[in-house]
Amino acid sequence: MALVACNVAKTPPQAAAPTAKTEEIKPAAKGGIKKFKDVIGKDAVTDEGVFTIHRVGEKYYYQIPDSLLGRDFLWISRFASLPSGLGGGYVNAGSSVNEQMVEWQKWGEKILLKSKSYGSVAADSLPIYLSVKANNYQPTLYAFDIAALAPDSAGYVIDVTRFLSSDVKAFSGLDADMRKTYKVSRLDDTRSFIYSVKSFPLNLEVKQDFTYDAAEPPTNSATGTLSILMNQSMVLLPKVPMQPRINDYRVGYFTIRQLDYGSEALKADEKTYIRRWQLVPKDIAAYKRGELVEPIKPIVYYLDPATPEKLRPYIKAGVEQWQEAFETAGFKNAILAKYPPTPEEDPDFSPEDVRYSVIRYVASTTRNAVGPSVSDPRSGEIIESDIIWYHNHLRSYRNRYLLETGAANPGARTLDTPMEELGEMMKEVITHEVGHALGLPHNMKASAAYPTDSLRSGPFTQKYGIAATIMDYARYNYVAQPGDPGIRFVRQLGPYDHYAINWGYRYLPDAKSAEAEQPTLSGWINEKSGDPIYQFGSGSGGFDPSSQTEGVGDDVVKASTYGLNNLKVVAKNLYDWTAAQTNDYDDLEELNDELMGVWSRYIGHVVTNVGGVYENRLRPNQPGYKYEAVTANQQKASVDWLLAHAFTSPEWLHQAKISRNVHHASYVDGIRSLQARHLNNLLSPDRMARLMENEINDVPYTALTMVEQLQKGIWNEAYKETSIDIYRRNLQKAYLDRMQYLLNEKPTVSRNGTPVSVSQSDIRSIVRAELVQLQQQLKSSQNRFKDDLSRYHVQDALVRIERILTPKGE
């Protein structure tokens, strides 16, 4: 019994069933189907591969074998090159635009390129299969006339020149929003061309150089032109899909989804499979005995020939560090990194060949690295992966290393970080990106698995690292304090990585179906239940303080306190570690801006505690609740910390030799912007909704409690009647602006935020009542301030409050 995609080929009513043999079509003497030699002449340039490609003058032809009609292909559309700023700067060269399954069908004297989906399926032996097929008819993406028969009469030749030269929406790099944003009117045929077409044994690669007329392009606006280089990859998928592995949301894997209409449930059964490479032991009997066994086909990454020689050992080590985790899954030498072969060693080597996974080294100022992969949408099998490393990325790590560890780590106090230390950072970044290519998403909960103070222990950090997984955004140990001996400051592979790879990749030879694997897989998870080291959290939603980006340790208040103590040491020495050494202010300015960002991150981690809810990924047969609010004491302590460290005047940041050398007049406003951002985050509708929920969950810290505590702290000068400095005056104005927003405007809730109706909740009642109390307090104290600016500020605040409480029109 086969499980077949919903949109299996459906013969058009007016057409006969697809012919089985090419010979049934007779070449026409004139027009229509011609003889092969009349189309593909002696001057044709031919490239053999999955399809044979013929170039005749300026025309391109595909020769499609009969055996590949009806086969499943994966079509990936990517940007090969693009203008700066396209997509708001969130799109890079190599970014995938679209992935879709396609198949080539013959219909009469035409070859059709059809879209195909495995999103809805049913076994072909079930009656409902007919309905699934009929109600999910696949679109035709393009229709080609058959130009000629293949010489051996076992295939068809089609002219693809117009197709590859056209702006076909299904494969275009410009979506509807981009076309609207940049006011794209048309593809200019006179300035567009087919850049290259190459065929390999399992894939076909096309590059298209497209130029559009665009009234408002992202760059070079005077030209009215937008040019992109698109890469179209067509990959032949295995004839028999790999046995999939059913996802369990308690372990982190990238997934594919299907709707199975053949389910016995009273609805279509949604099945989710993990994305992973297929690893099968060479010796299954030895594997079952518990011996380490090599896979029949290991995962192999080749280094880009453009990779600098000095970096190659670190990249190779980053890939092969995963061998440790695969050994936990029973495999030896499961993943390998190889230096690029010479033409003599492998004349067929090409990074574009889907048989080769490559770590590409890109000459770009982008500070990033990514680990995309191509997977079979029928089973989740990862077919190929190209890790992308952008040249300038190490600069980001050098900067963060200095800022986050410089207080406790003498080796980080320089712009000339030793190559050995940079190499260790690069190795771990590569390991992280390869983790994505193995199917592992970010696990932001792993950084909260270790007690915060354990990160000050040399033996602990050297053995366990700074987070339970390399897949967390826990780059550096900013908790360790000056004088702590033997500390590891850079992340590394952790125990969760061994656990996740074993769960996803261990071969189960006795399980003949995905369903048969589930008892074993679920049992492994239950064995680790309750151990924070083996928990998974995506960090999405922004409400779980134990699942945050860039954090380390299980106590965010303690970790941020340690981090801030270190940052104050770095700020005091930043000039001496940069400008004093280089006799230049550029690095000082860059690092000073990033230092502000680090301070902001420490603040943000504590903000998440307020209205925070821990997400525990549990099944109903496990004890506890999926969602558990942060305790009242923790929330109150977090607001106290914010009032003391985020909303006070940061005198420690103001150093004349920095501020007066990197900008002429933006320091005060920079502080205002940062503090206002976190204040607005605290007073956001979705956070207040979670705080209001505390009232019914017996957590005695509510939205009213938070606003009372926050208001008294931000306006404490009104109670103490001390002068109000410029930072505090700006902060207090930001507070009034936010209250105005909550009371009189229509606040929007972020897409992933907690839903709340502001007008029908307690939010406006709380805001109005607190503003009235603040108004009374300011009236009673306004004349006691000795300095003019404090007095004028309070007078202005009273006017603002009155306008908020009684806006025009009421």
Side-chain angles (χ1 to χ4, degrees), residues 72-90:
D72 291 337
F73 288 85
L74 186 64
W75 194 298
I76 309 105
S77 302
R78 296 188 184 94
F79 287 111
S81 296
L82 69 166
S84 175
L86 188 76
Y90 294 99

Side-chain angles (χ1 to χ4, degrees), residues 179 231 249 251 286 335 337 383 394 407 441 447 490 523 528 682 742 805:
R179 291 170 190 266
N231 188 96
Y249 88 134
V251 182
I335 184 167
I383 305 297
L394 272 179
S447 54
V490 181
K528 305 295 186 183
L682 272 174
L742 291 171
L805 293 173

Side-chain angles (χ1 to χ4, degrees), residues 780-795:
S780 67
S781 63
Q782 64 176 318
N783 294 321
R784 300 176 193 167
F785 290 100
K786 305 300 181 184
D787 64 296
D788 291 342
L789 265 178
S790 295
R791 192 165 55 254
Y792 297 160
H793 167 69
V794 171
Q795 291 170 358

Side-chain angles (χ1 to χ4, degrees), residues 194-259:
I194 302 168
Y195 189 87
S196 65
V197 184
K198 298 178 183 179
S199 192
F200 300 96
L202 296 176
N203 63 300
L204 193 151
E205 301 293 319
V206 177
K207 283 190 171 67
Q208 305 158 305
D209 197 320
F210 282 168
T211 293
Y212 298 84
D213 288 334
E216 296 182 8
T219 56
N220 300 317
S221 57
T223 65
T225 294
L226 192 160
S227 292
I228 58 175
L229 186 66
M230 288 298 299
N231 188 96
Q232 308 290 350
S233 300
M234 189 187 74
V235 180
L236 178 64
L237 294 174
K239 203 166 191 176
V240 178
M242 176 187 76
Q243 178 173 297
R245 179 156 291 182
I246 296 172
N247 181 59
D248 190 308
Y249 88 134
R250 295 172 293 176
V251 182
Y253 269 88
F254 293 123
T255 60
I256 61 166
R257 293 187 178 185
Q258 295 177 356
L259 286 175

